[in-house]
Amino acid sequence: MRRRGKNMAVTLLNPDGLPKIDGYRQVSVATGSKMVFVSGQVSWDETGAPVGEGDFVAQVERCYLNVGTALAAAGATFDDVAKLTVYVVDLTPDKLEPFLEGVARAAEKLGVTPAPPISVLGVAALDVPEHLVEVEATAFID
């Protein structure tokens, strides 16, 4: 599946022989000449104030919005993302639906559907106790 976007440096695939997952693609092929690495984004606003304290959905949304801001600073968008890594404090299966809700809220605000390959990892804690989730991205642009 080729994604639309000005750079077209990342193609997302769901190859035969692997499950088709609605929220993301299994493979990304990057051909861009410029790599963009976005550090783990947490639920802080531009001043460093916490957003969504104790609200997992709000924190997921803010993390994705922060990734979008970081990508834009590098001249990229979610269409250019080849891989997302998400760290969730005390990850359990019941957090999947709220996670997807937070992603959907951010996607609506960003006007995109972030669907690159993703790894969601459970962790004991993040940098400060208030943070429940952190999202980092790797993108390629021409």
Side-chain angles (χ1 to χ4, degrees), residues 9 23 26 40-41 57 96 118 121 125 131:
Q26 296 283 7
Q41 296 298 305
V57 175
L96 178 59
I118 183 172
L121 307 169
H131 292 153

Side-chain angles (χ1 to χ4, degrees), residues 5-65:
K6 65 178 183 163
N7 298 321
M8 305 286 287
V10 177
T11 301
L12 299 180
L13 307 169
N14 260 337
D16 291 338
L18 293 177
K20 309 300 186 256
I21 308 296
D22 288 336
Y24 65 93
R25 302 301 176 264
Q26 296 283 7
V27 177
S28 67
V29 179
T31 59
S33 58
K34 183 177 182 181
M35 296 175 69
V36 179
F37 297 94
V38 177
S39 69
Q41 296 298 305
V42 293
S43 60
W44 281 333
D45 69 11
E46 62 277 357
T47 69
V51 174
E53 192 168 338
D55 183 341
F56 182 69
V57 175
Q59 287 197 24
V60 170
E61 177 184 7
R62 185 60 191 214
C63 290
Y64 272 76
L65 293 174

Side-chain angles (χ1 to χ4, degrees), residues 4-5 64-65 68 77-79 103-114:
R4 293 174 295 169
Y64 272 76
L65 293 174
T77 71
F78 268 98
D79 284 338
V103 172
R105 285 173 27 179
E108 184 177 333
K109 288 181 179 176
L110 293 165
V112 299
T113 303

